[in-house]
Amino acid sequence: MSHRSTAARTALVVIAHHRADSLTAHTARRTTVQLETAGYRVDLLDLHAEGFDPRMNVADQPDWGNREKPYSDEVQAHMQRILDADVVVAVFPVYWQSVPALLKGWIDRVWNYGFAYGRSKPRLAGRRILWLGLAGATSDDPVTEGMQAVLETNLSEGIAYYCGFSYSSVALLPDAEERPQRIDAEGNLLVGDAVAGAEREAQYAEFDRRARNTVETFLAAEPAAA
C-alpha cells in the first residue's frame, strides 16, 4: 500500500557530482524524464549546483539527549524535501566502493537523529529508494561483484532500512568511463584506449539502456496504491 495516492506521487532525484556535463548528471536528467513520464512530480536536487556543504557543523550535530533538536534552516529544508517524496533516487559516481563525500555529507547532515532515525515509528517509513551508482570498472571485471555487495550492505542495510525505508535497491552501472579500466591479478591498473565515433555512441546507448531498465525494474516493484 502506497502512503500517498498515485496522483500525488513525488520523486526526489539527488545528483552527487560537481560537473553538469558528467555522465552522472546526464543519467540523472534522463531518469527525471523517465519518472515524469511514469507520472511522478520530480524534485531535482543537484547538491553541488545548490551549494550544499557536506561538512558537519555544530548546528547540525546530533544531540543524543534531544531528538527534537532544531537543526539549521538549510538542513530542515532538505528534510522537508525528503518528507515530501514517495521515492528517492540517488545518482552518483562510485568512489572507493562508496558514495562521494558530497552525498555522504548530505546523509550525515540531513538524515539526522530525530528525523531519519531515533524514533519508534520512523518518519521515513513507507518510502522507497533507488541508489544508481556509476562505476568506471568494466562489466566483466570481477571487482564489480564485490563492489555491488559492499554498496548493498552500506546503503540498503546500513542506511535505508535503518531509517525505515520500505524498499531499497542498489544498482551498479559499470562501463561509465570512456577508457576501459580494470585491475589485473597483480594489482596493476590497466587503462585501455578511449572509444570514439560509432563505438562510443554504441557504448553510451547501451549504458543509457541499462540505466533506463534499472529504473523501470525499480518502479515495477512498487506496490500498487490502495
Side-chain angles (χ1 to χ4, degrees), residues 2-14:
S2 175
H3 71 284
R4 291 196 181 96
S5 67
T6 302
R9 292 184 303 179
T10 296
L12 176 65
V13 176
V14 184

Side-chain angles (χ1 to χ4, degrees), residues 26-143:
H26 164 82
T27 301
R29 289 190 293 267
R30 288 181 62 91
T31 298
T32 294
V33 173
Q34 187 175 356
L35 287 164
E36 289 174 340
T37 301
Y40 285 85
R41 184 186 74 82
V42 176
D43 177 8
L44 186 61
L45 170 55
D46 187 329
L47 292 171
H48 186 269
E50 294 193 17
F52 182 82
D53 187 348
R55 297 173 299 177
M56 180 56 77
N57 55 53
V58 174
D60 298 319
Q61 179 179 335
D63 180 350
W64 306 118
N66 177 22
R67 68 182 183 186
E68 306 298 337
K69 173 182 176 177
Y71 295 107
S72 67
D73 290 345
E74 178 186 26
V75 159
Q76 291 192 64
H78 279 264
M79 289 176 172
Q80 189 59 53
R81 292 170 78 169
I82 298 174
L83 286 175
D84 289 342
D86 300 272
V87 165
V88 178
V89 180
V91 190
F92 59 93
V94 177
Y95 291 168
W96 298 110
Q97 302 203 29
S98 186
V99 299
L102 184 60
L103 181 56
K104 180 58 165 59
W106 181 68
I107 294 169
D108 289 345
R109 287 185 63 200
V110 180
W111 298 38
N112 217 324
Y113 176 64
F115 168 69
Y117 65 96
R119 296 179 183 275
S120 56
K121 183 178 180 180
R123 298 184 70 186
L124 303 182
R127 288 166 179 78
R128 298 159 47 80
I129 186 165
L130 172 62
W131 308 87
L132 277 178
L134 283 68
T138 56
S139 55
D140 61 348
D141 191 332
V143 75

Side-chain angles (χ1 to χ4, degrees), residues 141-187:
D141 191 332
V143 75
T144 57
E145 183 177 350
M147 191 183 300
Q148 175 80 32
V150 168
L151 289 170
E152 286 181 353
T153 299
N154 183 18
L155 302 178
S156 289
E157 296 180 24
I159 299 176
Y161 292 138
Y162 184 74
C163 293
F165 277 75
S166 62
Y167 182 72
S168 175
S169 177
V170 176
L172 185 65
L173 298 173
D175 300 307
E177 295 287 349
E178 293 181 10
R179 303 177 65 185
Q181 54 183 257
R182 63 182 302 159
I183 304 294
D184 67 14
E186 286 71 44

